[in-house]
Amino acid sequence: MRGKRRIASWLLASVMAIGMLSGCGGAAETGDGSAAENQVTAENSGAADTEAPGGQAKEQGEYVPELPTASEEADIFVEPVSGLSDNFIMGMDVSSVIAEEESGVVYYDEDGSEADLFQVLADAGVNYIRVRVWNDPYDADGNGYGGGNNDVEKAVQIGSRAAKYGMKLLVDFHYSDFWADPAKQMAPKGWEGYTPAEKQDALYEYTKESLQAIIDGGADVGIVQIGNEINNGLAGETEWENVTRLLERGSAAVREVAQANGQEIQIAVHFTDINDYDQTMQRAKELADAGLDYDIFGVSYYAFWHGTMENLTQVLTDIAEKYGKKTAVLETSYAYTLESGDGFADSVSETDLVEGYAATVQSQANCVRDVIAATAAAGEDALGVFYWEGAWIPVGSADAAAENEKLWEAHGSGWASSYAAEYDPNDAGAYYGGCSWDNQALFDFNGHPLASLDVFKYVRYGATCEPAVDYVRECAVEIGIGGEVALPETVDVVYNDRSKSGEVSVTWNEEEYADIDTDVGGTYTVGGTLGDGTPVTCELNIANVNCVLNPGFEEADTSMWIVSYEGNVNPTDVQDKETDALSGAKAFHFWDENEQEFSVEQTIEEPAAGDYTLKANLQGGDVGNDAVVYLYATVNGTTYQSDPVTLDGWCNWKTPQITDIPLDGASDITIGVYVKCAGGGWGTIDDFNLFCQ
């Protein structure tokens, strides 16, 4: 039991050496017991030993930050969330902080002075810290796997530093040697070959010893997670009965440690992908059916991955009402920029941005505020929100990747080091490198707090500021080849105070589009300014304009499409299944066990005069040797038809087309697809396109 030996050999000496450790003074120990190469700066270690701005430094655990008691002027606008309890969790996961500091990262307070990160967080209204714990994130030579190298020793340091500034600790046991999530739940190396029963005993002992070490180190532990995002397994077990037995042993260990120390520690079970409501509720039911002893049903909620905030509220509400459990959002975040600070690709890019939130500091604050509001709306059993890795920033600059890599490898400040390949060859071994989260931190690339960090202290009473543009919604104009440029007179502006958002007049730079040759296709960017001088841009796309309405069936209103079919059963529908669509998530779908004959068509009223081309995209199979499938267009009684289409397999997309369809500008055109096929035949039709040649 390699992980167990590591704790046993370190525990007594570590607790004696650390005691009421501030986490900043001495050399931090690495996984092999040697002193870390770098120490946290003296400025950080002594930041709270004297009276400091933002609060009063007393004995450990008694630091009291000065937080607002009413709405204040600030650098961001924050709409207050009413009814938040005094104990509502404003949490943050800062698991990578030790590795960051060992790599040379320095954090600053709002005045620009070097400061202990934990004081900065406390002064910003953060009242809870979360830390992940891996059993043994090192190879046989003591080289760390990265991602903070978060073993028990790191948790002791982080927990004691949090306690020094009055913040409680959530201990997040992954029961793995590296990242655990829905895609992978690998057992620790020390548990390799264990039977489920042996693994249960090992998890119980590991939880007891680890949690006791963290408490002895000075942490004020309030919550313990037994597993991380365990939707599909835990510690190498995928059979849910085995997972449940592991959870029972972890729960028993936490209860025993809490009782032995005279403390109240709540137990959380953690899931993600809550956009799948049915699966989430099923897991809650299974825990109830098993009689698992736990307190909090915790979820991850990232707005760019996990559906609407209305669904978040519904999930938390229903868990509390149906199963009598408290709830919490254990992970959330949002991007404030699309730049990468260390030259390593980030997890969230432009395509992930959510409607209503741009990659700006104000939008980041708004998203966090709205997640807090959605959580609080679930009622008094919703305990709060944790922001994930809000201080994980670059250890170097974006143009110094080679130097950054040395730090990632030496101190584990990247998401994974090359040493992790032995344990996780398919993921870490292939993609190891730097921080993929720096554009979602609540600190800039140089360690200065962003204004969005203060959302935690302002969200109860709100914050006001001078009206300012947060972002301008995308402005794009598409014209047909040979058409005239007509840019909009207004653009949709979103302000820091969303209530002031709306259409605003814009002045375009005529010189930038006056010489554009509209007879040549292409995309051009035209600049302009608002009345207050804010610069805006409009993307002008000169191309063949598609005359078809809802050509890819993505819009909810499909009334423009008419389906005619033979027989008593309509074999068609609009299917929401991204893997069967050419683009987007939806496509027109057909299947029936009986022979099918149908057409789907749309009539377009009086397109401009010219010669037109019609295209569509089809895929399918099992249609039979006598199947008849083709694209057609009808104008003034004349029907034009494409060559027959052969549907011969999934994702073998076919694109029939008809060219030289004459339109006089006063006539309608009906376009469509005809299908006659055998029973069992299936397929999808997507992305019609009718354009002037």
Side-chain angles (χ1 to χ4, degrees):
M1 296 176 63
R2 178 177 180 174
K4 184 176 179 181
R5 287 201 304 271
R6 181 179 297 280
I7 296 171
S9 65
W10 166 80
L11 177 57
L12 180 59
S14 177
V15 172
M16 291 178 64
I18 295 174
M20 302 301 281
L21 176 70
S22 71
C24 304
E29 290 189 4
T30 59
D32 60 359
S34 61
E37 294 180 349
N38 296 317
Q39 296 182 0
V40 181
T41 61
E43 290 88 345
N44 282 357
S45 64
D49 293 335
T50 59
E51 191 167 316
Q56 296 178 352
K58 303 179 182 179
E59 294 182 7
Q60 180 168 332
E62 296 184 6
Y63 181 82
V64 181
E66 294 181 0
L67 300 177
T69 58
S71 179
E72 294 186 0
E73 290 284 335
D75 293 329
I76 54 170
F77 179 88
V78 180
E79 182 182 354
V81 176
S82 62
L84 291 177
S85 71
D86 293 340
N87 296 321
F88 192 88
I89 294 172
M90 308 288 185
M92 189 177 300
D93 190 310
V94 293
S95 299
S96 63
V97 61
I98 305 298
E100 290 277 278
E101 291 170 339
E102 290 176 348
S103 298
V105 167
V106 175
Y107 296 97
Y108 299 86
D109 60 23
E110 291 187 346
D111 295 328
S113 301
E114 292 186 20
D116 189 318
L117 171 67
F118 292 83
Q119 180 179 346
V120 177
L121 296 180
D123 288 341
V126 174
N127 57 22
Y128 232 110
I129 295 296
R130 180 175 184 258
V131 60
R132 60 181 168 269
V133 182
W134 294 320
N135 289 40
D136 183 17
Y138 302 93
D139 67 13
D141 297 321
N143 299 303
Y145 290 164
N149 295 339
N150 284 109
D151 57 5
V152 175
E153 300 169 39
K154 293 290 196 306
V156 168
Q157 296 180 58
I158 290 171
S160 66
R161 290 174 68 178
K164 180 177 181 178
Y165 291 101
M167 293 181 285
K168 298 182 75 68
L169 186 71
L170 183 157
V171 181
D172 174 16
F173 287 118
H174 282 218
Y175 300 122
S176 176
D177 288 342
F178 207 39
W179 299 106
D181 54 47
K184 56 187 177 186
Q185 291 280 342
M186 296 180 290
K189 298 184 292 293
W191 301 356
E192 185 176 355
Y194 279 18
T195 65
E198 290 172 332
K199 196 176 290 183
Q200 292 161 27
D201 291 341
L203 186 146
Y204 168 81
E205 295 293 342
Y206 171 79
T207 303
K208 283 191 68 174
E209 294 182 15
S210 300
L211 182 55
Q212 188 62 57
I214 294 168
I215 291 173
D216 289 344
D220 182 8
V221 178
I223 302 173
V224 172
Q225 263 184 245
I226 46 176
N228 190 78
E229 296 186 336
I230 62 169
N231 297 49
N232 302 315
L234 177 65
E237 299 297 326
T238 56
E239 293 293 331
W240 196 248
E241 182 177 354
N242 291 338
V243 171
T244 303
R245 300 290 86 79
L246 290 171
L247 294 173
E248 289 173 345
R249 298 297 282 156
S251 172
V254 175
R255 295 296 190 213
E256 290 178 25
V257 172
Q259 183 177 10
N261 289 272
Q263 297 183 4
E264 293 186 7
I265 299 176
Q266 299 189 85
I267 297 171
V269 184
H270 180 202
F271 297 92
T272 186
D273 294 335
I274 64 166
N275 46 309
D276 188 337
Y277 176 88
D278 292 339
Q279 182 200 65
T280 303
M281 298 306 294
Q282 177 63 23
R283 286 302 189 219
K285 180 180 183 300
E286 289 167 347
L287 296 180
D289 291 345
L292 182 68
D293 176 18
Y294 77 104
D295 305 292
I296 302 169
F297 190 98
V299 303
S300 293
Y301 176 75
Y302 296 99
F304 36 80
W305 291 331
H306 296 144
T308 67
M309 294 190 194
E310 291 78 11
N311 181 67
L312 168 63
T313 301
Q314 193 67 55
V315 166
L316 301 184
T317 300
D318 291 352
I319 293 293
E321 291 182 352
K322 293 181 180 180
Y323 301 106
K325 296 300 178 182
K326 300 173 185 176
T327 60
V329 174
L330 299 180
E331 296 182 19
T332 194
S333 70
Y334 201 73
Y336 77 93
T337 180
L338 296 177
E339 296 181 15
S340 172
D342 61 2
F344 187 79
D346 292 325
S347 296
V348 170
S349 61
E350 185 172 11
T351 57
D352 298 300
L353 297 181
V354 179
E355 173 64 27
Y357 308 102
T360 66
V361 172
Q362 179 66 58
S363 281
Q364 183 184 50
N366 285 357
C367 188
V368 176
R369 178 263 172 211
D370 291 348
V371 172
I372 291 173
T375 302
E380 61 182 11
D381 288 323
L383 301 183
V385 171
F386 287 85
Y387 195 93
W388 196 75
E389 282 286 15
W392 199 358
I393 62 176
V395 301
S397 62
D399 57 359
E403 293 302 314
N404 296 346
E405 185 172 354
K406 295 177 183 177
L407 296 171
W408 303 333
E409 293 284 287
H411 305 295
S413 47
W415 88 269
S417 74
S418 62
Y419 305 112
E422 66 165 26
Y423 183 73
D424 181 16
N426 296 328
D427 195 2
Y431 307 110
Y432 65 88
C435 176
S436 61
W437 215 254
D438 51 28
N439 69 329
Q440 297 188 74
L442 295 168
F443 292 77
D444 69 17
F445 294 160
N446 297 311
H448 295 272
L450 301 171
S452 49
L453 175 63
D454 286 335
V455 69
F456 297 106
K457 73 178 182 182
Y458 290 138
V459 70
R460 294 180 186 278
Y461 304 105
T464 59
C465 57
E466 289 296 319
V469 175
D470 183 18
Y471 65 96
V472 178
R473 295 188 189 275
E474 180 181 0
C475 176
V477 173
E478 187 174 82
I479 65 171
I481 291 179
E484 294 184 3
V485 176
L487 299 180
E489 296 181 355
T490 63
V491 290
D492 191 357
V493 177
V494 179
Y495 286 90
N496 48 8
D497 178 351
R498 297 303 200 242
S499 68
K500 302 183 183 304
S501 300
E503 295 293 324
V504 177
S505 297
V506 59
T507 301
W508 299 109
N509 187 334
E510 295 184 11
E511 294 180 357
E512 291 188 13
Y513 68 85
D515 296 329
I516 294 176
D517 186 354
T518 60
D519 289 331
V520 178
T523 300
Y524 305 86
T525 299
V526 179
T529 56
L530 304 182
D532 62 1
T534 300
V536 296
T537 60
C538 182
E539 187 176 273
L540 176 62
N541 184 33
I542 302 173
N544 293 312
V545 176
N546 188 2
C547 300
V548 182
L549 300 178
N550 199 5
F553 303 91
E554 298 296 328
E555 299 172 12
D557 180 9
T558 58
S559 60
M560 68 289 294
W561 291 103
I562 305 300
V563 177
S564 302
Y565 58 92
E566 296 293 325
N568 297 322
V569 177
N570 181 358
T572 74
D573 63 344
V574 175
Q575 177 178 269
D576 190 348
K577 188 176 181 181
E578 188 173 354
T579 54
D580 285 353
L582 180 65
S583 65
K586 296 181 180 181
F588 187 84
H589 168 259
F590 65 88
W591 178 86
D592 193 76
E593 60 183 355
N594 300 311
E595 182 177 296
Q596 304 163 64
E597 183 177 2
F598 69 88
S599 64
V600 54
E601 66 182 29
Q602 176 181 147
T603 298
I604 301 158
E605 297 180 355
E606 300 182 358
D611 291 333
Y612 281 73
T613 292
L614 174 65
K615 296 181 179 181
N617 300 275
L618 301 90
Q619 60 120 10
D622 301 327
V623 294
N625 294 330
D626 297 327
V628 179
V629 182
Y630 59 81
L631 178 70
Y632 65 86
T634 301
V635 182
N636 293 327
T638 300
T639 297
Y640 304 83
Q641 185 175 307
S642 73
D643 292 335
V645 178
T646 301
L647 302 180
D648 54 9
W650 182 66
C651 286
N652 289 337
W653 287 95
K654 307 303 172 84
T655 308
Q657 68 175 6
I658 306 169
T659 60
D660 299 321
I661 305 171
L663 291 173
D664 58 14
S667 301
D668 298 343
I669 178 173
T670 298
I671 56 100
V673 166
Y674 172 83
V675 175
K676 183 177 183 181
C677 68
W682 58 271
T684 53
I685 308 170
D686 206 2
D687 293 350
F688 283 81
N689 192 0
L690 176 68
F691 59 91
C692 187
Q693 298 168 193

